[in-house]
């Protein structure tokens, strides 16, 4: 019998996905995600489409609802800038 290595979501991978992609992967309606956060559908839509930002606590609740690690929503590398705001 051969052994199969099974990875958990995002394990060993440097990746970032959008909140919308995570919601769709979970097969959840935007209105259901809005209810989880206690905000209107319109406010949720603005956040999901990048017009408004999610608060950290909102992302934490969504990561639990979508059953994915919170870190998946963030870049794994930081950019460094010099004093002239040029990327190093």
């Amino acid at each position: 019998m051969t052994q199969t290595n099974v990875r958990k979501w995002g394990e060993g991978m440097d990746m970032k996905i959008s909140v919308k992609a995570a919601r769709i992967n979970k097969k959840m309606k935007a209105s259901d995600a809005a209810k989880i956060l206690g905000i209107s559908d319109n406010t949720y839509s603005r956040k999901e489409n990048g017009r408004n930002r999610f608060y950290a606590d909102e992302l934490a609740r969504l990561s639990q609802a979508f059953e994915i690690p919170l870190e998946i929503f963030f870049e794994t590398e930081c950019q460094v800038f010099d004093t002239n705001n040029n990327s190093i």
Side-chain angles (χ1 to χ4, degrees), residues 36-85:
I36 289 168
L37 299 181
I39 60 178
S40 71
D41 293 356
N42 190 36
T43 298
Y44 180 82
S45 176
R46 286 195 308 267
K47 288 178 181 250
E48 191 177 77
N49 291 307
R51 289 189 293 271
N52 292 35
R53 292 184 181 212
F54 283 100
Y55 292 108
D57 67 310
E58 292 173 329
L59 291 174
R61 282 186 271 160
L62 290 176
S63 73
Q64 289 178 339
F66 301 156
E67 298 176 338
I68 60 172
L70 176 61
E71 297 82 17
I72 210 94
F73 295 129
F74 300 100
E75 296 289 339
T76 57
E77 296 180 10
C78 295
Q79 279 191 304
V80 179
F81 295 91
D82 64 16
T83 55
N84 295 319
N85 206 27

Side-chain angles (χ1 to χ4, degrees), residues 7-48:
R7 287 186 184 180
K8 292 181 181 177
W9 177 265
E11 183 180 320
M13 298 178 228
D14 287 335
M15 61 185 305
K16 176 189 169 204
I17 64 169
S18 68
V19 171
K20 186 173 188 174
R23 177 182 59 76
I24 291 169
N25 285 337
K26 188 65 178 172
K27 297 177 176 44
M28 184 182 290
K29 294 179 184 177
S31 59
D32 295 330
K35 286 177 188 162
I36 289 168
L37 299 181
I39 60 178
S40 71
D41 293 356
N42 190 36
T43 298
Y44 180 82
S45 176
R46 286 195 308 267
K47 288 178 181 250
E48 191 177 77

